[in-house]
Amino acid sequence: MPSLKDLTRRDVLAGIGAMTCTLALPFPASGRSRDSGVVRESTEKSLREHASRRGLLYGAAAGKAILTGNKALADLFVEQCGIVVPENDLKFKHVHPKPDEYDFSKADWLLDFAESHDMKMRGHTLVCHEFLPDWFDDVVNESKAQRRMEEHLTRVMHHFAGKLHSWDVVNEPLEAESWREDGLRDSPWLKLLGPDYIEKAFHIARDADKEALLCWNENRIQNEDPPSTRKRTLFLKWLRDLKRRNVPIDAIGIESHLTADGSPVAGENFKRFLREVADLGLKLLITEMDVADDSRPKDVAVRDRAVAQLYYHYLHTVLKQKNVIAVLNWGLSNGTTWLAQSKARADAAPVRPLPFDDQMNPTLAFKAIARAFDKAPGR
Ligand code: G3I
């Protein structure tokens, strides 16, 4: 059974051959050294290049702490990404730690990193049921909620106005198992402002930044189980209603945290959902993609193949829609992924949900993503 370090270029190529999809082989004959001193096999084309040849943006989530602490990872972002998104640094509690105090230092650093390496940056996230600071409950009540929301969005968005590609204005407002007819998740914003908090947020956001694409970011959209199907139906209802009333929403984000456990994703109902989103004139972004491997056997080759197959199947399906403009992974290297904690394996083996391993070598997932980009229609 190969260990992580034993997985050579030949293993990667052999694994690719075993995938159900036929994948081209863009690895050059020799590896090359990187500034960081890490030696790894490199590729002829980065994911950024594979994507941009089809008019797509490719990128990943990161933060000041992980990029300043890991030069090899920072170099990998520069090489592979056309867009970056802060995984945590722009969340309410981080950027607004006290009622009258904002801290943009980490997100500013990331924007500077992005701009100085010709990358775009997107904003994540403004209004969410989570990520609220400790002071929130003490300070925000029904009479102050609207003003507090306006103040937070306006201050944060003005700070970056004209500089960000897009913003997750609302994050995960729906819940698959919601008892409500409208599918809304229990959230402080819902309790304080009622269901209108969603459209209020979009209007405030448009006033604060005329250029960024304004997105509704949502999770668990791709599965074929009944709660996910219901969620898609209710999501579409919301989107139709917002568009009909000229609420300034430009795009939806489909997070796409997938699990390689064999459960069906991206089936017919999901495809119909994608087409109906396109018919509404909305753009679509894959905002947080990764593939959890915790249900798969320990053997790295077996796991990597399952993860790569799911990447390919999912992206190949989604990218047929020409309104999809960007694909972002939630992290770039397996060395820094939230799944290491949240979907840790019972056998304690490191998880492998992303296109690069912890030594910044491309995994089979890299190949699958590149191949899905190559097969996608241009836009
Ligand atoms: O802040 C401490 C830090 O000081 C300490 O060094 C570190 C050690 O583990 O823990 C720290 O904070 C953690 C933070 O991630 C940074 O690693 C928090 O405890 C942890 O809760 C936080 O988790 C993040 C989670 O959102 C909650 O904010 C994950 O990194 C992040 O990947 C995840 O991202 C969400 C998206 O925003 C929305 N969609 C789902 C996605 C996954 O849950």
Side-chain angles (χ1 to χ4, degrees):
M1 185 188 306
S3 79
L4 202 65
K5 296 235 163 42
D6 296 333
L7 200 66
T8 63
R9 172 175 172 265
R10 200 173 30 182
D11 295 322
V12 170
L13 299 184
I16 291 158
M19 289 174 68
T20 49
C21 49
T22 319
L23 297 170
L25 310 176
F27 292 96
S30 58
R32 65 185 165 86
S33 285
R34 301 176 58 77
D35 292 341
S36 54
V38 173
V39 179
R40 68 171 183 85
E41 297 290 347
S42 189
T43 58
E44 277 175 2
K45 278 190 274 163
S46 62
L47 290 176
R48 174 182 184 152
E49 288 171 282
H50 281 281
S52 75
R53 285 174 179 223
R54 295 291 179 269
L56 282 159
L57 268 171
Y58 172 77
K64 181 183 175 187
I66 62 163
L67 293 179
T68 51
N70 188 338
K71 169 106 169 70
L73 182 63
D75 287 346
L76 191 67
F77 266 81
V78 171
E79 180 184 270
Q80 296 292 328
C81 294
I83 185 163
V84 65
V85 58
E87 183 171 357
N88 291 306
D89 293 343
L90 272 176
K91 287 173 178 168
F92 200 128
K93 66 178 174 188
H94 297 301
V95 83
H96 195 167
K98 293 192 183 149
D100 299 311
E101 200 176 299
Y102 289 79
D103 178 2
F104 296 109
S105 56
K106 291 184 181 142
D108 280 347
W109 183 92
L110 194 63
L111 180 61
D112 189 51
F113 173 78
E115 286 180 337
S116 57
H117 294 104
D118 188 30
M119 289 182 239
K120 296 180 192 300
M121 180 163 124
R122 63 187 316 269
H124 172 83
T125 180
L126 294 163
V127 177
C128 182
H129 60 289
E130 288 187 295
F131 321 138
L132 294 167
D134 289 342
W135 59 262
F136 190 86
D137 285 343
D138 296 335
V139 171
V140 185
N141 56 28
E142 277 178 27
S143 69
K144 291 183 185 158
Q146 164 107 16
R147 189 174 63 75
R148 279 287 174 179
M149 186 165 92
E150 259 171 37
E151 190 186 279
H152 178 82
L153 267 63
T154 305
R155 181 75 197 276
V156 175
M157 292 187 79
H158 272 171
H159 186 84
F160 298 101
K163 294 181 179 162
L164 298 193
H165 167 271
S166 48
W167 263 110
D168 291 335
V169 177
V170 291
N171 195 61
E172 304 166 13
L174 298 172
E175 186 171 36
E177 276 94 6
S178 171
W179 55 269
R180 293 174 56 98
E181 271 184 24
D182 58 11
L184 286 184
R185 180 194 293 278
D186 196 16
S187 150
W189 297 109
L190 177 63
K191 279 199 195 88
L192 292 163
L193 293 170
D196 284 357
Y197 85 88
I198 292 178
E199 65 183 87
K200 283 185 173 131
F202 278 103
H203 283 296
I204 298 165
R206 176 56 81 230
D207 285 347
D209 187 339
K210 306 273 184 261
E211 289 175 45
L213 291 174
L214 304 183
C215 308
W216 174 324
N217 195 41
E218 199 52 78
N219 66 3
R220 201 171 152 187
I221 286 297
Q222 67 283 340
N223 297 73
E224 290 300 304
D225 53 276
S228 303
T229 305
R230 171 176 180 260
K231 188 172 185 180
R232 281 191 291 272
T233 304
L234 291 171
F235 195 5
L236 268 176
K237 206 169 162 197
W238 270 99
L239 295 173
R240 280 194 203 103
D241 186 54
L242 295 181
K243 289 295 285 181
R244 186 175 53 78
R245 291 184 299 102
N246 292 320
V247 175
I249 176 172
D250 301 309
I252 66 161
I254 299 184
E255 293 186 3
S256 312
H257 294 289
L258 309 188
T259 302
D261 61 359
S263 55
V265 293
E268 288 311 314
N269 184 276
F270 174 76
K271 289 187 214 167
R272 197 158 50 247
F273 168 82
L274 296 182
R275 286 194 296 273
E276 292 191 40
V277 171
D279 290 345
L280 286 171
L282 292 166
K283 297 194 188 316
L284 214 153
L285 292 81
I286 301 300
T287 47
E288 306 186 10
M289 192 168 182
D290 47 29
V291 179
D293 67 357
D294 56 317
S295 58
R296 290 283 162 171
K298 191 172 186 185
D299 186 321
V300 165
V302 173
R303 268 197 275 158
D304 278 9
R305 205 173 305 132
V307 166
Q309 282 174 348
L310 188 49
Y311 263 110
Y312 183 78
H313 163 68
Y314 185 72
L315 287 176
H316 186 56
T317 303
V318 168
L319 293 174
K320 285 183 180 151
Q321 288 298 322
K322 291 199 179 185
N323 61 328
V324 179
I325 58 169
V327 174
L328 289 95
N329 275 119
W330 206 238
L332 193 57
S333 151
N334 294 330
T336 47
T337 163
W338 72 293
L339 293 171
Q341 275 85 48
S342 71
K343 293 254 179 114
R345 296 177 54 83
D347 57 24
V351 296
R352 296 173 63 83
L354 291 168
F356 291 87
D357 70 16
D358 62 352
Q359 298 299 303
M360 318 303 155
N361 291 307
T363 63
L364 274 186
F366 170 96
K367 290 292 309 160
I369 298 169
R371 181 70 170 166
F373 288 157
D374 291 349
K375 288 273 186 185
R379 58 213 68 208

